[in-house]
Amino acid sequence: MSNLIVRWGGLRAVVALAVKFLIVVALGLVIPLYLAAPFGATHTPAVEIHDEAEIIDDDALRSALEGVGFRRDIRLAILTMDDVETETVLNNTVVNNTAFNDAVLAYALEHEPSWISTADPDYWADGLVILAVSQRGRWVGCYFGEDVKVGKYTEGKIQDAAKDSFRTSQWGAGLEAMAQRTAESLGKPITSARVAVLVTCLSIAAAIALLGLIFLFRHVARDCLQQARRRFAEVTADYDATQIRAGSVPADNAYGAQVLARFAWFEERYAQLVRLFREFGEPRGAQWFALGCLGDAAELDDRAEELDRLDDFIAAASTFLTLGPGWEEVWENEQGPVREDIGSYAALCASVAFSTLQAKVSFDVAPDRDLVRERRDRLAAMTRELASGALTPTAALDELDAMVVDVHQRCDDLARRALAADTSSTGRKRLARYEKDYAQGKYAGEGADYQGWWSTSARSERHHYDLAATIRINSKSVGLDAPGLYDAVVRRPGAHDVGAYGANWPYSESGASGVGAVPLFSRPVDGLVTGYSNIVSPSSGSSSGSSSGGSGSSSGFGGSFSGSGSSSHF
């Protein structure tokens, strides 16, 4: 037995799995059974028969009712009446549908005062159940003490249990059916049948979900481990090549320095992952079902994926910085954030043109549209210059940084000029709001991220790029958590609180070119475009009130009596 437990992952894992399965059994079987048919229906009711209509065999009915098992002590009163009219109807409208309830209460007050609670005469006595029928009025009713009362839905089901028998004048059989249905309802943990069904369904659903999760955890954990090992094997196979590529990266500029900083972190994370794989070991049997196993396997997979991406990034950065084979693809990806910002600049031009036309303000966006075309043409020219050797990789990256700063500044300038062109009171308010929001960094906080795609117009094809693989740093860059890199780039001392575009958008310390001790950290300009559009878009709100009428509900009894129970026709 001990060997079997060891093969299944040890005592702790086996016990943990057994507890999970016990919870599944409790949710899927024990709780539904307990709600549907709790045990203990062994109490014989104290039967009272008041056959005022003389329509039943008292002895036979008493014997039958005493054979009905209840889950608690019950005083079961049977009442038949034959002098109760149907509801009062005036002008085709029911004006009194409590006739039978009132008749039962009147009978109790006159003949059976013990049916009324001594603690509060507005309620039936505790432990009392009254099952009543009227042959002439074709009424059937059931009434309960406060400690044994059931919901209105259950009251209706108790009455419905007798109606088929009452319609064929089988009064005893109908009353016995009512007593049986009452016994099934009383003493349940949830007296409302609808709620009990709902809770039962939820409990079974929870059991199925939990069982599914247990096996899903095992499946996902196995997949994560398998994928982590595959990725780690690829990184290990390329490890020597990665070191060689990193050695070719120039360290005399900001771009090469931060690539090498991320490579140093790559080596540190690689050593950590080797240790984590060793600590994870080889799970067996029940160990796979543990949530901790899934978490550890997922962490292994995340770290392996991170290393794999870092590996690819270092290879790409080395390829471009040395203009090795395939540098064109790396350069194309490197332009992605800049092209996305230029696309946002073009979108701002369109938004300004539309808003100023709508406000009947004279404003010319043609110069800015010309600048958009110039920036796109320059990117194409840079590619040709890189290929011919007229432009070095470092100078190209510097120019991308400068272009980003320029686009951000021109977008801000365009938005301000467009808002200032509207000299109306509304225009002045919009400009003041824009300046306030800009100063507070609402258009580019730390949560601003590039989308990872760009297009030349709203109708043109989207061009996707890999944000994590760019040499120039952005919020999605792989390896950004390398020691000191994030603080140096984004939160370094002396950085502008509000740079060219919003809070935490710092310039390079040596100027717009981006050459300095640390590289530029890029944030997108699209937040500014959205902010401008929101300011100039007319906002309208309307409030509408609605009234609804409710229908009043009458008490089950004509007077102030508040006891539980109801009646209906058969």
Side-chain angles (χ1 to χ4, degrees):
M1 181 62 71
S2 60
N3 291 335
L4 179 61
I5 292 177
V6 171
R7 286 199 302 272
W8 269 85
L11 182 61
R12 177 180 296 181
V14 171
V15 170
L17 180 60
V19 169
K20 291 184 177 72
F21 280 115
L22 286 176
I23 294 174
V24 170
V25 172
L27 289 172
L29 185 61
V30 176
I31 292 179
L33 284 177
Y34 181 66
L35 293 177
F39 302 99
T42 58
H43 294 262
T44 300
V47 180
E48 303 176 10
I49 297 180
H50 303 268
D51 185 17
E52 302 299 328
E54 299 182 352
I55 56 175
I56 57 177
D57 183 338
D58 292 12
D59 293 336
L61 181 59
R62 184 186 304 275
S63 177
L65 295 181
E66 288 177 347
V68 177
F70 283 79
R71 299 179 187 90
R72 55 164 295 169
D73 292 330
I74 290 294
R75 182 183 177 191
L76 181 59
I78 303 298
L79 175 63
T80 66
M81 307 180 72
D82 201 24
D83 56 352
V84 183
E85 299 179 354
T86 58
E87 64 261 75
T88 305
V89 180
L90 182 62
N91 295 330
N92 295 324
T93 302
V94 176
V95 297
N96 180 19
N97 61 351
T98 64
F100 191 57
N101 300 341
D102 295 338
V104 173
L105 176 59
Y107 180 87
L109 293 172
E110 182 177 356
H111 301 287
E112 295 294 334
S114 64
W115 289 2
I116 307 299
S117 173
T118 55
D120 190 341
D122 286 336
Y123 295 92
W124 298 111
D126 286 346
L128 175 68
V129 175
I130 304 172
L131 305 180
V133 61
S134 170
Q135 178 185 18
R136 181 183 301 174
R138 304 189 69 79
W139 286 100
V140 56
C142 53
Y143 310 90
F144 305 88
E146 287 301 294
D147 62 333
V148 293
K149 68 180 179 180
V150 297
K152 292 297 180 183
Y153 176 82
T154 304
E155 289 177 3
K157 290 299 182 180
I158 292 174
Q159 295 162 21
D160 291 343
K163 289 181 179 180
D164 287 342
S165 297
F166 286 168
R167 292 184 185 111
T168 58
S169 300
Q170 300 180 54
W171 311 109
L175 290 166
E176 184 180 351
M178 288 180 72
Q180 187 65 51
R181 187 58 184 264
T182 302
E184 294 173 0
S185 303
L186 292 183
K188 287 186 175 180
I190 301 176
T191 57
S192 172
R194 286 179 174 175
V195 176
V197 170
L198 176 62
V199 173
T200 298
C201 292
L202 290 176
S203 182
I204 294 174
I208 295 173
L210 179 57
L211 186 62
L213 284 175
I214 290 173
F215 285 96
L216 178 63
F217 286 168
R218 174 180 177 272
H219 175 73
V220 173
R222 284 178 174 271
D223 283 352
C224 284
L225 181 60
Q226 182 179 1
Q227 190 162 256
R229 285 173 171 168
R230 177 181 57 78
R231 286 171 169 162
F232 185 65
E234 292 176 358
V235 172
T236 301
D238 295 338
Y239 189 80
D240 291 339
T242 302
Q243 287 184 314
I244 295 172
R245 293 187 183 111
S248 66
V249 173
D252 58 352
N253 61 73
Y255 310 108
Q258 59 91 358
V259 170
L260 293 177
R262 288 195 260 181
F263 171 70
W265 191 60
F266 164 83
E267 292 189 307
E268 179 184 341
R269 300 286 280 185
Y270 182 89
Q272 291 177 357
L273 188 56
V274 171
R275 176 177 54 81
L276 289 175
F277 268 114
R278 185 169 58 249
E279 292 176 354
F280 187 81
E282 295 287 345
R284 301 184 304 275
Q287 291 177 341
W288 283 110
F289 294 90
L291 181 59
C293 182
L294 172 60
D296 292 342
E299 182 181 1
L300 290 174
D301 187 30
D302 290 342
R303 284 175 174 260
E305 181 183 12
E306 180 183 56
L307 285 181
D308 194 18
R309 293 174 69 84
L310 270 169
D311 185 9
D312 294 341
F313 159 74
I314 293 166
S318 174
T319 297
F320 178 72
L321 292 174
T322 60
L323 289 182
W327 67 267
E328 295 89 348
E329 294 181 6
V330 181
W331 169 243
E332 182 70 24
N333 189 74
E334 196 66 35
Q335 298 177 65
V338 183
R339 289 189 178 275
E340 186 175 329
D341 279 340
I342 293 174
S344 297
Y345 189 10
L348 180 60
C349 291
S351 179
V352 167
F354 176 78
S355 62
T356 52
L357 178 64
Q358 196 174 42
K360 298 180 180 179
V361 173
S362 177
F363 192 86
D364 186 12
V365 297
D368 288 278
R369 284 175 167 162
D370 290 341
L371 286 170
V372 169
R373 285 192 293 272
E374 288 178 11
R375 298 299 178 269
R376 287 171 173 161
D377 292 343
R378 177 55 191 156
L379 288 174
M382 290 171 67
T383 303
R384 293 191 295 271
E385 291 176 9
L386 281 168
S388 66
L391 185 66
T392 66
T394 299
L397 295 175
D398 286 345
E399 191 166 346
L400 291 184
D401 279 344
M403 194 176 295
V404 165
V405 172
D406 179 67
V407 168
H408 283 224
Q409 290 174 333
R410 291 187 182 279
C411 283
D412 175 46
D413 179 66
L414 173 60
R416 292 177 189 271
R417 287 189 289 109
L419 291 170
D422 185 356
T423 58
S424 66
S425 60
T426 300
R428 290 193 298 271
K429 289 179 181 178
R430 287 173 175 172
L431 178 59
R433 177 185 166 189
Y434 173 86
E435 291 176 339
K436 178 182 177 182
D437 290 349
Y438 186 92
Q440 293 177 349
K442 291 185 178 180
Y443 299 143
E446 290 192 4
D449 297 321
Y450 284 98
Q451 299 178 79
W453 60 268
W454 58 271
S455 60
T456 55
S457 67
R459 297 182 178 180
S460 65
E461 180 184 359
R462 288 185 177 183
H463 301 268
H464 294 268
Y465 65 95
D466 186 359
L467 266 169
T470 60
I471 299 172
R472 297 172 57 252
I473 295 178
N474 61 77
S475 60
K476 298 296 185 181
S477 294
V478 62
L480 189 58
D481 292 330
L485 183 61
Y486 186 82
D487 289 335
V489 175
V490 186
R491 296 172 176 167
R492 65 182 184 272
H496 296 272
D497 291 333
V498 181
Y501 173 44
N504 290 328
W505 199 93
Y507 294 105
S508 171
E509 292 179 358
S510 64
S513 68
V515 179
V518 291
L520 195 70
F521 185 88
S522 300
R523 292 198 186 279
V525 75
D526 67 327
L528 187 149
V529 179
T530 303
Y532 171 84
S533 300
N534 290 339
I535 287 177
V536 299
S537 297
S539 59
S540 60
S542 61
S543 61
S544 60
S546 61
S547 60
S548 60
S551 59
S553 60
S554 62
S555 170
F557 297 87
S560 62
F561 190 75
S562 303
S564 298
S566 61
S567 58
S568 60
H569 281 292
F570 62 85

